[in-house]
Amino acid sequence: RNGDFLLYRLTGSEIYACLRERLRSISETAQRLTVVTQEKLAFQWLVEVFQWVEEIEKAVTDYSSLDGYKRTRLFIDFNSATRILMKGEDIFFNIEDVTKEILRAQKISIRLTPQRIAVVVLKGGVANSPGAHLLRWGALLYGCIKSDVDRAEDWEHRASTAIETYKSFSLDGSISHLGNATRFRDNVENLIDEAVNDLTIQNEEA
């Protein structure tokens, strides 16, 4: 947890700890309000973003990637990652217009495209305010998780293709051909190396 894992650069920061305390304090006050105001709705949305980030942190697991590799890595299980990604999509892409207006009054703009979430601090806003800090990191983490899930799915597809190739070679006896055997070996070694060193999202059963 030394900052090499992107998530911990946020959750290990002083401003994150400060934000957690502020949200806890404001939550106690907001819960006592019987009237639902625009400000309360916006605050509840901000709390949802914070809880979503904490959900990512709780999903991180330490493990030794594969037998024979002694180095321990951090990863998120594929099923957990896809669930977190879907929840992030729901939070950010279904934001209420009234919440957008409240944020804009605070000089924060949320810009959404099918592939990207951008949080922009407008002129006169405070870029390092706890709220802006959380939202900018939330948008960044969403993009990272989406990219990592896409990469994990691509790896799974290539691994499945390698397995089917081996079955095909075995059935027709062509695995004994030096060229086929060498290509298959190199392909499998590359897949293992990628899983051990690069994949953040992995299937625990793989």
Side-chain angles (χ1 to χ4, degrees):
R1 307 192 179 202
N2 58 3
D4 292 337
F5 201 66
L6 181 63
L7 171 67
Y8 294 142
R9 298 186 190 180
L10 168 64
T11 60
S13 67
E14 291 184 7
I15 196 168
Y16 186 82
C18 174
L19 179 61
R20 178 187 284 116
E21 291 304 314
R22 287 191 184 184
L23 289 177
R24 184 176 301 159
S25 175
I26 297 173
S27 289
E28 294 174 356
T29 302
Q31 288 174 1
R32 291 194 292 266
L33 292 177
T34 56
V35 178
V36 179
T37 64
Q38 293 183 348
E39 289 76 11
K40 184 177 180 178
L41 287 174
F43 172 75
Q44 289 173 336
W45 181 80
L46 192 65
V47 169
E48 286 184 10
V49 174
F50 183 84
Q51 291 174 339
W52 178 74
V53 172
E54 291 203 314
E55 192 172 336
I56 300 173
E57 184 176 25
K58 291 175 182 177
V60 177
T61 302
D62 297 347
Y63 88 128
S64 296
S65 300
L66 292 168
D67 292 341
Y69 290 83
K70 296 181 179 180
R71 184 162 60 90
T72 299
R73 294 186 62 243
L74 299 174
F75 88 113
I76 298 177
D77 172 60
F78 181 82
N79 291 331
S80 297
T82 53
R83 174 178 50 77
I84 289 169
L85 179 62
M86 291 177 64
K87 186 172 182 179
E89 288 177 352
D90 183 59
I91 290 173
F92 284 103
F93 287 91
N94 292 324
I95 181 174
E96 299 283 349
D97 289 339
V98 64
T99 299
K100 288 183 180 180
E101 293 174 4
I102 294 293
L103 291 173
R104 183 170 287 277
Q106 299 299 316
K107 306 298 183 182
I108 298 174
S109 174
I110 306 288
R111 299 175 184 175
L112 305 170
T113 67
Q115 297 298 323
R116 187 169 182 264
I117 301 170
V119 176
V120 180
V121 178
L122 305 174
K123 184 177 181 180
V126 181
N128 291 325
S129 68
H133 190 74
L134 171 65
L135 293 178
R136 291 168 77 177
W137 269 98
L140 176 62
L141 290 172
Y142 173 83
C144 289
I145 289 178
K146 180 173 175 54
S147 176
D148 287 340
V149 167
D150 288 344
R151 185 172 184 180
E153 289 178 335
D154 176 67
W155 185 93
E156 289 276 1
H157 174 72
R158 287 183 283 120
S160 296
T161 300
I163 292 172
E164 293 304 316
T165 299
Y166 176 78
K167 290 179 179 178
S168 176
F169 285 164
S170 297
L171 286 173
D172 62 21
S174 59
I175 190 65
S176 60
H177 188 281
L178 180 60
N180 289 339
T182 300
R183 283 193 296 273
F184 179 75
R185 181 202 63 196
D186 291 345
N187 189 23
V188 170
E189 287 180 350
N190 289 336
L191 285 167
I192 292 174
D193 182 72
E194 184 178 353
V196 170
N197 295 300
D198 297 328
L199 290 184
T200 301
I201 307 298
Q202 298 195 16
N203 191 329
E204 285 186 311
E205 297 178 356

